[in-house]
Amino acid sequence: MKPLTTKLGLLTFALLMTLNLSAQDFQGQATYISKSTMDLGTWGARMSEAQKKQVMARLKNRLEKTYILTFNKEESIFTEGDKLDAMSGATDSWGKNFAAGDQYKNVKTNTQIQDQEFYGKRFLVKDKLQPIEWVMETETKQIGNYTCFKATAMIPSDELTWFSFSWNKISRSNATTETEETTEGETVKSEIPMTEVEAWYSPQIPVGHGPSEYWGLPGLILEVSAGDTTMLCSKLVINPAEKVDIEAPDKGKETTKIEYQETLVKKMKEFRDNRMGRSRG
């Protein structure tokens, strides 16, 4: 049995010749279908099956989305397709405050630039690409016409969702998540929540791109699962007839991922405190 590195080398060489990746005008476009699950918990336990179906239908526009990844050898732009509310036909005004905006990545310069909007204010988030220590597996499977190899990683959960918000982040921000604290005279570090990531990449498209925060494998990532969300490539076009300009966003207040998350937490604390103050008054 040939080792994994030999298999990847042969596939990559063959596809470099086939795709002509040395051409300056090389471009690819991948469409991803993202599906998430939601546990209704104790709230759902009190609902009838009909009520549960109604709630899930209402939330469908948040749980099922379409994304487009346009890429060349070094750069990519990842955007969400337009999606209307499944029940009312209206746009999801609340959810868009915590959804990922247009995302530009450059694997050569280790750069990520993302356009984010939060309650009418625009931010330009500039940072490095998400560090990922991939573990290369030998397991393979077929996705469409492409042979894919498995890779896994453990990534801090807050780093994967820096553009989003949950009330748990407020409680963690009040604690010393990454600083040392003393318990019974001993110095310890609080535990950082981690997310297990499983990716499937194909050396047949030998670029280091992937959807969302994921990148850095010796082939395009065609499927990735993390937490309760799976993204699967449903369509892939190499060198489309109409090329798309891959340009980084350039509008908004410049910030970093950490600073942007701190802004979200601070503002949501203010919203909560203001609401509690009105209710007490």
Side-chain angles (χ1 to χ4, degrees), residues 2-241:
K2 294 181 180 179
L4 176 60
T5 52
T6 303
K7 288 184 178 180
L8 294 180
L10 292 172
L11 280 170
T12 300
F13 176 77
L15 266 297
L16 280 169
M17 301 300 293
T18 303
L19 299 179
N20 189 21
L21 290 190
S22 61
Q24 292 184 350
D25 61 349
F26 164 77
Q27 191 173 103
Q29 192 170 82
T31 301
Y32 293 86
I33 304 298
S34 172
K35 293 188 177 183
S36 301
T37 58
M38 176 178 285
D39 183 2
L40 297 177
T42 56
W43 181 51
R46 297 191 297 267
M47 294 181 179
S48 67
E49 289 303 315
Q51 288 173 324
K52 289 180 183 178
K53 288 182 180 179
Q54 186 177 20
V55 169
M56 298 309 290
R58 182 71 178 178
L59 294 174
K60 186 177 180 181
N61 67 314
R62 295 190 193 181
L63 300 177
E64 297 184 15
K65 297 184 177 184
T66 302
Y67 295 91
I68 304 294
L69 179 72
T70 303
F71 58 90
N72 56 34
K73 286 169 57 180
E74 299 171 354
E75 304 169 287
S76 69
I77 188 80
F78 185 64
T79 60
E80 182 182 346
D82 293 334
K83 202 78 170 180
L84 296 180
D85 188 289
M87 297 292 288
S88 67
T91 55
D92 184 2
S93 57
W94 168 261
K96 74 177 184 180
N97 289 304
F98 309 115
D102 293 348
Q103 179 194 78
Y104 168 89
K105 296 202 294 279
N106 189 312
V107 297
K108 183 177 181 180
T109 62
N110 189 26
T111 302
Q112 179 173 328
I113 303 175
Q114 195 155 317
D115 180 14
Q116 289 295 134
E117 183 178 338
F118 181 65
Y119 282 98
K121 187 170 183 179
R122 200 166 184 182
F123 294 85
L124 187 66
V125 184
K126 290 187 174 183
D127 218 316
K128 294 180 179 179
L129 298 174
Q130 172 63 44
I132 306 176
E133 296 183 6
W134 292 109
V135 177
M136 315 296 280
E137 310 283 356
T138 56
E139 188 177 345
T140 64
K141 73 174 180 179
Q142 201 77 6
I143 298 179
N145 297 322
Y146 299 94
T147 299
C148 295
F149 291 82
K150 182 180 178 180
T152 58
M154 296 294 291
I155 304 175
S157 302
D158 285 352
E159 293 183 15
L160 286 178
T161 58
W162 61 266
F163 51 82
S164 187
F165 172 80
S166 71
W167 294 109
N168 289 333
K169 290 185 178 182
I170 284 186
S171 61
R172 286 201 295 271
S173 72
N174 291 332
T176 52
T177 306
E178 294 183 272
T179 58
E180 295 185 346
E181 49 186 38
T182 302
T183 303
E184 296 180 355
E186 295 182 357
T187 301
V188 297
K189 280 191 176 181
S190 3
E191 185 177 350
I192 298 174
M194 304 292 285
T195 295
E196 183 177 2
V197 178
E198 178 182 295
W200 294 87
Y201 65 96
S202 177
Q204 292 176 256
I205 310 100
V207 294
H209 300 303
S212 188
E213 301 295 302
Y214 309 105
W215 70 289
L217 286 167
L220 181 67
I221 298 173
L222 296 182
E223 181 180 342
V224 61
S225 298
D228 59 4
T229 299
T230 295
M231 290 187 183
L232 175 64
C233 181
S234 61
K235 181 181 179 182
L236 178 61
V237 179
I238 300 298
N239 288 325

